[in-house]
Amino acid sequence: MPLSTKRLTTTTLAELNSAAGLLTRVDRKYLVPLTCAQNLVDGLAPHARVLAIDERRRFSYTSTYFDTPGLEAFMFAARKRRRRFKVRTRTYLDSGLCFLEVKTCGARGSTVKRRMGYHADDASRLTGPGRAFVAACLAGAGVTGSAAAREVAAALRPVLATTYERTTLHLPRAEARATIDTALTWRRLGPAHLTAAISEGEPVTVADIAVVETKNPATPSPADRALWEAGYRPTRISKYATGMALLHPELPANRWYRTLTHELAGLFGTDRSSLECLNAA
């Protein structure tokens, strides 16, 4: 059942971006039952506003993630490299808007996101200007030198697609955001040389679970505190890395082993025995 936000007042996208753009932020992620997500929304009603565009309060997203043949973006995350990165296109299906986004790590564990407008028809590939943008972001963030950044950008190709529905909350007093994603689906795009738990293009969907992400400038927000009081703690889940670990069980996945075998255990229509090797380094 979709989340109900009828108890919340609305905010516009312009107001949200002006008040809480938070392109540099501290993120916390939680996996909670849909009933808990609804309780969270209801409990935040006095403090939060919900993003509404053309009377819509829930929006459909799709993302395509890019990595090198050696899966450097995944491996850097798996090995906790400080200068890790993530490259994706994100398409807002309700409006047709599309962006190319590069995420890197900033000071004290913060996430820095840079993005450029992108043509939706190019969402599943990187254009020349797109690769130049990625290279500039990687070099500017100190992930690697300029020449190596261009090599990484030139080698990127699509490896994973996701779709989900998102509800976005703004907590003005805390200068914070919270997003609640439901109906999350992963779909493998490659690479062909990896062992795959499912066939390319076959979707794997999370049912009855919401991914709640709080995005705060520094201190925990009322959304974090409400989840803690309900008994939930931040968990390791990355739409990219967790999806890759699930769909390619031979990849090193210690960082997400508990998430895949506990919080998400039994939610997928795949043979869970295929995840036994996830505990290998």
Side-chain angles (χ1 to χ4, degrees):
M1 179 179 296
L3 287 176
S4 171
T5 57
K6 62 183 180 181
R7 295 179 58 184
L8 276 67
T9 57
T10 62
T11 187
T12 67
L13 184 59
E15 291 170 339
L16 182 67
N17 287 337
S18 174
L22 291 179
L23 292 185
T24 300
R25 68 211 185 192
V26 177
D27 298 347
R28 296 180 181 87
K29 297 179 182 179
Y30 306 81
L31 286 172
V32 303
L34 287 179
T35 53
C36 175
Q38 185 63 65
N39 291 339
L40 174 67
V41 170
D42 293 341
L44 290 175
H47 315 287
R49 299 174 183 174
V50 61
L51 174 64
I53 302 175
D54 295 332
E55 300 185 359
R56 295 182 63 91
R57 299 186 176 200
R58 187 175 66 256
F59 306 94
S60 298
Y61 288 43
T62 184
S63 296
T64 298
Y65 292 87
F66 300 85
D67 212 332
T68 64
L71 299 180
E72 290 179 58
F74 175 87
M75 293 300 183
F76 284 4
R79 295 166 181 165
K80 302 181 183 180
R81 285 280 297 274
R82 181 178 179 273
R83 293 300 184 185
R84 56 190 179 269
F85 66 94
K86 188 182 299 179
V87 178
R88 72 185 179 200
T89 58
R90 169 173 285 177
T91 305
Y92 300 78
L93 297 176
D94 300 290
S95 66
L97 289 175
C98 182
F99 295 91
L100 173 61
E101 301 181 340
V102 180
K103 282 187 171 184
T104 56
C105 290
R108 295 182 293 278
S110 63
T111 299
V112 179
K113 181 173 71 174
R114 296 177 175 86
R115 68 182 188 177
M116 64 176 284
Y118 214 62
H119 200 290
D121 291 343
D122 293 325
S124 61
R125 70 186 188 97
L126 290 178
T127 62
R131 293 185 190 276
F133 174 74
V134 171
C137 290
L138 297 182
V143 174
T144 187
S146 297
R150 290 193 293 271
E151 292 179 1
V152 170
L156 293 172
R157 58 358 182 355
V159 295
L160 184 75
T162 63
T163 59
Y164 53 94
E165 294 187 343
R166 169 166 291 184
T167 300
T168 298
L169 307 182
H170 177 212
L171 293 88
R173 292 185 180 179
E175 298 182 343
R177 284 187 184 187
T179 59
I180 304 173
D181 296 343
T182 57
L184 171 61
T185 297
W186 283 294
R187 183 165 55 87
R188 183 177 73 87
L189 302 178
H193 69 278
L194 290 175
T195 301
I198 64 169
S199 301
E200 182 173 353
E202 181 182 348
V204 174
T205 301
V206 178
D208 302 322
I209 291 286
V211 181
V212 179
E213 184 170 0
T214 62
K215 309 165 192 285
N216 313 315
T219 57
S221 71
D224 291 291
R225 296 189 180 94
L227 289 166
W228 296 346
E229 290 176 3
Y232 295 96
R233 292 295 182 268
T235 189
R236 293 190 186 278
I237 181 168
S238 156
K239 289 189 179 72
Y240 175 57
T242 306
M244 288 293 286
L246 172 72
L247 302 183
H248 301 285
E250 80 281 11
L251 291 175
N254 280 359
R255 295 194 70 197
W256 307 284
Y257 179 76
R258 179 175 177 82
T259 299
L260 290 168
T261 59
H262 290 75
E263 287 93 341
L264 295 181
L267 293 177
F268 303 95
T270 58
D271 180 5
R272 300 305 296 177
S273 64
S274 65
L275 295 177
E276 288 301 314
C277 59
L278 283 173
N279 206 23

